[in-house]
C-alpha cells in the first residue's frame, strides 16, 4: 500500500479530509447509477467516468475496492416529489413492452456505452427490482423506529419527526423551512402528513404492472430506498464512500441519510463525493430539459451541436473572456477579476492570484486568448 | 407474417409439431441460462447459440418475440440432488469475495463472450436473486395445493403425492421407480420423506451469506424454482417455448413441469426444445468432468486440444470410419451399416439408405474418406 495521503472533498463536512478507510486496505464505494428508461446522455456518463477514475485510483493505491453502482429499474417517478408515473413503466406503456424489456434494453445500451468510454464495470451492479425484500426490511426498520407512517396503503417518511431528533438537511445545508416552502408549490398534501415527507413504499394502483406484496399491501418501493438498502447489503451498515451527481444531493442523498439514520441510529456513509454537472449553455443537461447529447450521438458526432466548430456556448464564453481581459487592463473594471487592480486591493476583491504581478500577467493572457478566439 | 409452417421437435410429445403460438404474432420463449460461478465453456455456448438461431428465425418470420434467458446466481448446489454447497457461495468463499461480486464478474464475462459469438442479448435477463418474492409465492402455491411439506425449515416437493395425481416423468420418460433407484445411491434420506423429493426452499445454515426471510424462516430457493417463477412472471402462466440443454431434461425441466402443474393445475410450456451436448471424446463437456474448453481459450486458440491438427477424438473417429468403410465392402461385416449387404437384407439391418445402390456408393465414399484421413 502506498503511503501518500489521499484527500477527499467531503460534501457532508464541506472540507477536504484525509481518507482513512474503515477497514485498512479495503474500500467500499457506492455510486448512484442510471435509471434505465432511455439512452444515456453525456450527463449520465459524467458520474460513471468520474467515479471510474476514483475506483482506478484507489486500486492503484493498493486498496481492494468493492465498487457498487446500481441500476434503477423501478420506483423513480417522473417528478422527484413522489408524483407522476414510474419512468420505466411509462416508457413500457408507450412502447407496449413489459417494463423489464425496457429496463434490459437500456441497461445493455448503457453498459455498451460505458465500455466504449473505457469505464470499468463496477464490482456489483444491483437492480432495484432485485432487492424488494431488502427495501421492505429497511422500511420496516424505519417504521419500528417511529419515523414512518402508513397512509392509504403507502408508507411515508416522517420528516418533521425525524428533524426533531436528527438533522434533516445535514448534507444539502437546507433547513426544513426551505424544504417546506419549496414543496408548497406542488400538488396538495394528499396522503402525506407534511409536504416535506417522502414515500418509502407506494401503493400500486390496479393498472400498475410493477408490484410486489408487502406488509402494507401490493406496491413498489420509493426511489430513495434502493440505494440505502443495497448499499447496506453489499457494503455494510457503515461504509467509506458514496458518490453521485451534485443534483442528487437533494432530495435523493439527503433522504438516503435520513433513512439510514432512522433505521440504524447512525450515519451509513463516511465520505460523500459529488461530481459537477454537464451543462449546455449554462443549463444542466437533462432529459427533462430536452437539451441532451446522447452517448451514441457523442460517439458518432451526429448531434447538431457537435457539428459546429464553436458551440453557441463557447462563443459567449469567449466574449466573456474578452470582456474580462479588457476590463482587467483598462480603466473601467467590470468584474471582480479586473476590478481589484483599479481599487488597489487584491485578495479582498476576490482575486484568485496571490501576487499582483501574477494577476496582471494572467489577465493579459486572458485578453490574448480571448482575442485569438474571436 | 410469413405463412410457411414452422415445425418444432417437441421433447414433451417426441414428435415434430406445427408451431402455433398462443397469441397470434407473438412468441414467448424461455431458455435456461448460465450459473455464473466460472468462465463459460463451449458447452455453455451451445444453448445460447442454438436458441439465438431460434430467436432470430422467429423474428425473421415476423413474430414479436419476448425471449427470456435467466442468470442463475443462487440456489444451484454442487450436486443436483439438493446436496452440497451453493456453487456461487463456494466460489465466493474460496476467493474471499461477496457472492454477488463473483456473480457479477462471470455474468459480465459471459455477456462479453456472447457478444463475440454474435449472440443477440435476450429481451429480459432476469436474475434468480432478483426474484426471491416470486419464488416464495410459487412455493406457497405448491404448498397450498398440497404438494409440498416443510421439514426442519426447508420445504420439499412431494413427488410421490404429485405422481399419484399427475405424471412425474412426463418429459424425461422416466418413471418414479427409476428415479427412486437412481436416488438411492446418494446420501441418506435426511429431511426428505422420499429420496425423489426435491427442495423448493432450503434453510440457511448460520454460515450462509445468501439468505432471505420467508414464511419458513431464513433461507434460499431451490434451484428449479427460479425458472418456473420467472417464466410465469415475464411470459404468463402458459407460454410457447422453453429451451435448454438435453442434460437439463432431468431433473431440472421435469421438476419445473411438476412445480408449474402443482401450482396452477396446468402445463406452463407448450413446446419444449432441447439442444444436444458438446462432447469431448464422447463425453459431455462439463465443469465437473474437467474436460472443458473455455470460450476465452476457444477465441484465442490457447487450449492444448485446439493446437492439435487432429484431436484425439477425431483420430479415433476416423479409424472407426475406416473400419466401417472396409467392413461395408468386405466379407466380414462388423457393423450393422456394413452387415446388411452380406446378409442381403437392407432396411431391416438398420441402414439409413433407401436403396442398395445408394448404400453401396455411400459406403465406398466412407472408405475413401477414411483412407484419406489416416
Amino acid at each position: 500500500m502506498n503511503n501518500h495521503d489521499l484527500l477527499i472533498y467531503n460534501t457532508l463536512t464541506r472540507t477536504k479530509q484525509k481518507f482513512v478507510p474503515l477497514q485498512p486496505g479495503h474500500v467500499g464505494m457506492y455510486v448512484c447509477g442510471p435509471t434505465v428508461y432511455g439512452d444515456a446522455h453525456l450527463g449520465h456518463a459524467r458520474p460513471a467516468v468520474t467515479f471510474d477514475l476514483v475506483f482506478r485510483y484507489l486500486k492503484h493505491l493498493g486498496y481492494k475496492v468493492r465498487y457498487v453502482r446500481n441500476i434503477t429499474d423501478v420506483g423513480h417517478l417522473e417528478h422527484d416529489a413522489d408524483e407522476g408515473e414510474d419512468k420505466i413503466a411509462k416508457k413500457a406503456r408507450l412502447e407496449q413492452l413489459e417494463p423489464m424489456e425496457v429496463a434490459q434494453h437500456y441497461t445493455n445500451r448503457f453498459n455498451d456505452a460505458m465500455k466504449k468510454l473505457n469505464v470499468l464495470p463496477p464490482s456489483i451492479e444491483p437492480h432495484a427490482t432485485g432487492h424488494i425484500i431488502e427495501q421492505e426490511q429497511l422500511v420496516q426498520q424505519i417504521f419500528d423506529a417511529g419515523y414512518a407512517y402508513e397512509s392509504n396503503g403507502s408508507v411515508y417518511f416522517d420528516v418533521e419527526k425525524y428533524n426533531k431528533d436528527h438533522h434533516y438537511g445535514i448534507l444539502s445545508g437546507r433547513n426544513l423551512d426551505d424544504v417546506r416552502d419549496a414543496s408548497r408549490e406542488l400538488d396538495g398534501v394528499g396522503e402525506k402528513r407534511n409536504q416535506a415527507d417522502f414515500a418509502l413504499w407506494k401503493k400500486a394502483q390496479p393498472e400498475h404492472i410493477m408490484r410486489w406484496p408487502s406488509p402494507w399491501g401490493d406496491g413498489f418501493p420509493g426511489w430513495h430506498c434502493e440505494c440505502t438498502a443495497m448499499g447496506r447489503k453489499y457494503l455494510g451498515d457503515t461504509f467509506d464512500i458514496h458518490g453521485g451527481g451534485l443534483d442528487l444531493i437533494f432530495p435523493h442523498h439527503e433522504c438516503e441519510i435520513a433513512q439510514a439514520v432512522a433505521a440504524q441510529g447512525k450515519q451509513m456513509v463516511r465520505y460523500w463525493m459529488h461530481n459537477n454537472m454537464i451543462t449546455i449553455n449554462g443549463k444542466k443537461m437533462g432529459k427533462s430539459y430536452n437539451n441532451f447529447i446522447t452517448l451514441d450521438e457523442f460517439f458518432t458526432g451526429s448531434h447538431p451541436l457537435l457539428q459546429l466548430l464553436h458551440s453557441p456556448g463557447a462563443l459567449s464564453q469567449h466574449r466573456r473572456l474578452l470582456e474580462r481581459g479588457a476590463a482587467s487592463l483598462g480603466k473601467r473594471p467590470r468584474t471582480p477579476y479586473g476590478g481589484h487592480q483599479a481599487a488597489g486591493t487584491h485578495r479582498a476583491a476576490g482575486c484568485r492570484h496571490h501576487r499582483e504581478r501574477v494577476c496582471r500577467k494572467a489577465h493579459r493572457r486572458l485578453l490574448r486568448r480571448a482575442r485569438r478566439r474571436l
Side-chain angles (χ1 to χ4, degrees), chain A residues 310-357:
Chain A
H310 285 86
S311 76
L315 276 181
S316 67
Q317 195 201 350
H318 296 164
R319 202 170 290 124
R320 260 199 315 277
L321 275 175
L322 183 64
E323 284 166 10
R324 196 187 287 168
S328 73
L329 293 170
K331 295 280 174 246
R332 290 201 183 182
R334 289 175 56 184
T335 67
Y337 267 54
H340 65 278
Q341 285 188 317
T345 63
H346 198 74
R347 304 288 307 275
C351 182
R352 60 191 168 153
H353 303 115
H354 284 256
R355 280 172 304 165
E356 206 178 311
R357 198 174 58 81

Side-chain angles (χ1 to χ4, degrees), chain A residues 127-149:
Chain A
H127 292 61
T129 58
H131 297 78
I132 302 294
I133 293 177
E134 290 80 355
Q135 293 178 77
E136 290 184 7
Q137 287 175 322
L138 173 71
V139 176
Q140 190 63 53
Q141 286 172 345
I142 299 172
F143 214 96
D144 294 345
Y147 295 112
Y149 57 90

Side-chain angles (χ1 to χ4, degrees), chain A residues 38-46 285-288 292-295:
Chain A
D39 270 344
H41 57 62
L42 285 174
H44 298 120
R46 181 146 183 183
M285 184 181 286
K287 227 163 233 158
S288 38
F292 54 88
I293 300 175
T294 68
L295 291 177

